[in-house]
Amino acid sequence: MDDPGKKASLLEMLHQLSYAITQDDYQGFLKGTSVNVKCAHDFKHAGSKYKVWELKYQNKDRLYFFTHKVSGNREAINILILLLFHHKNTQNTPEQVKAYCEKIVKIFNEPKSAVKFI
Amino acid sequence: MKKSNATIFQQLQEETGIFRAARRSDVVMKIRLKMTEKGLRNVDLAERIGVSEANISRWLKGNQNLSIDTIYLLADAIEEPLSIELGRAADVLTHEMHHGSHCGEACNAEYIEDEVGDLCVGETVIALRAYAKIRPESPLQRFAFKGSKANIGLEILVAP
């Protein structure tokens, strides 16, 4: 990615997200800022429902992510996994982006996958 | 090695635009964090400062080039001392961060080919699973993790 505008957008979304995730309600924290959150895609898999979220900054730049619960020592821990940065040319989330994000979400939710804290 | 004025001029030309938005929102994010901590709403700041709530919303959106006077006014309104320091700090957005760690990784085309597989990508799509490999000492590890109010190092191990 050589375009400075795209770099600036990605940096700004990550920057605001880094503050937001210190709060339990990370989406509520972003309300009223220049970075918006909305559900980009939802799907069913193995009897459960999953959502892929997007951060929106200005007209075209999007950062796709999902949240995942991991069992900790004492309680479940919420983690947020970044998936894709996309400079969007269309109104809707492209099918290829949905397919890629779904693939990753499914990997995380496979019974044989493991998340390890170091 | 000391850089020449010409080198720094070139650096500023290339990178000021990249950091502009994040630097503008940085102070606003800190103010918003404090407001959340103290249970302060925009209307409270509006009343304390003597401006409209719409004005406060605009200031706290994060995309304004706030004056130093305004930043100090907001800090006073939330009853927090403000200091402006020069010199390296953990969360300052700098040239070294751009080329040293996260942004360099995010811009690296190798991650697109390694991680995305059959997704048709070009310059507009960057797979961000690279962030799962952030080293614990990276200044941006907090981007990939949610640890409530604590920092947690996280490595994703995914079985094939």
Side-chain angles (χ1 to χ4, degrees):
Chain A
M1 182 169 67
D2 291 330
D3 182 76
K6 289 172 196 164
K7 288 183 184 180
S9 291
L10 176 58
L11 180 60
E12 174 63 346
M13 286 190 279
L14 289 173
H15 187 64
Q16 291 204 25
L17 186 62
S18 74
Y19 281 96
I21 60 170
T22 62
Q23 308 298 304
D24 290 330
D25 181 11
Y26 72 94
Q27 294 197 14
F29 184 82
L30 290 173
K31 225 172 185 177
T33 69
S34 55
V35 173
N36 299 309
V37 190
K38 81 179 248 285
C39 179
H41 176 53
D42 56 60
F43 63 97
K44 284 184 187 171
H45 173 64
S48 297
K49 290 182 188 175
Y50 298 96
K51 286 186 179 183
V52 175
W53 298 92
E54 67 175 27
L55 292 184
K56 296 170 54 178
Y57 180 66
Q58 298 183 329
N59 289 332
K60 290 195 174 176
D61 295 313
R62 303 284 184 267
L63 183 58
Y64 297 96
F65 66 94
F66 74 102
T67 58
H68 184 71
K69 236 184 236 308
V70 179
S71 302
N73 286 336
R74 289 178 198 160
E75 56 184 6
I77 299 170
N78 289 319
I79 60 175
L80 188 148
I81 312 295
L82 303 176
L83 293 165
L84 275 179
F85 170 75
H86 188 211
H87 185 74
K88 233 168 123 175
N89 295 319
T90 58
Q91 184 70 20
N92 300 315
T93 306
E95 290 304 316
Q96 293 153 312
V97 171
K98 287 182 190 176
Y100 173 75
C101 293
E102 262 193 49
K103 184 173 84 170
I104 304 301
V105 172
K106 285 174 184 174
I107 288 172
F108 269 84
N109 288 284
E110 287 294 320
K112 55 187 177 179
S113 295
V115 173
K116 175 183 163 186
F117 289 93
I118 57 170
Chain B
M1 193 172 87
K2 193 177 172 185
K3 295 178 190 172
S4 68
N5 288 349
T7 301
I8 293 180
F9 171 78
Q10 195 57 39
Q11 186 181 308
L12 290 179
Q13 291 295 301
E14 289 170 5
E15 295 178 354
T16 300
I18 293 171
F19 288 108
R20 181 174 295 121
R23 283 173 171 170
R24 286 182 181 181
S25 68
D26 193 52
V27 67
V28 167
M29 290 297 115
K30 289 180 164 68
I31 291 169
R32 291 174 78 98
L33 275 183
K34 279 293 172 187
M35 286 173 68
T36 304
E37 197 178 292
K38 296 184 172 193
L40 290 171
R41 302 159 301 162
N42 287 4
V43 64
D44 296 314
L45 263 63
E47 287 173 12
R48 291 178 180 197
I49 295 174
V51 298
S52 68
E53 197 177 335
N55 219 348
I56 298 294
S57 297
R58 207 165 36 248
W59 285 347
L60 295 183
K61 199 169 169 72
N63 57 358
Q64 303 274 300
N65 187 8
L66 298 179
S67 69
I68 294 176
D69 287 350
T70 301
I71 295 169
Y72 271 102
L73 201 55
L74 289 166
D76 288 343
I78 62 173
E79 297 178 282
E80 284 290 325
L82 171 69
S83 66
I84 298 175
E85 292 180 39
L86 291 175
R88 188 96 179 113
D91 57 352
V92 170
L93 292 159
T94 66
H95 166 78
E96 283 74 24
M97 281 180 86
H98 179 212
H99 286 288
S101 59
H102 71 291
C103 204
E105 288 184 10
C107 301
N108 188 342
E110 288 180 13
Y111 285 109
I112 298 176
E113 286 154 20
D114 286 347
E115 303 291 352
V116 176
D118 57 0
L119 179 65
C120 233
V121 299
E123 292 183 349
T124 60
V125 181
I126 297 173
L128 288 172
R129 280 172 63 192
Y131 285 89
K133 299 172 190 170
I134 288 177
R135 299 177 303 280
E137 66 271 17
S138 164
L140 290 188
Q141 82 182 72
R142 64 182 182 273
F143 290 162
F145 317 115
K146 178 171 169 66
S148 294
K149 294 178 178 62
N151 285 328
I152 299 178
L154 172 63
E155 182 177 75
I156 312 294
L157 302 176
V158 181

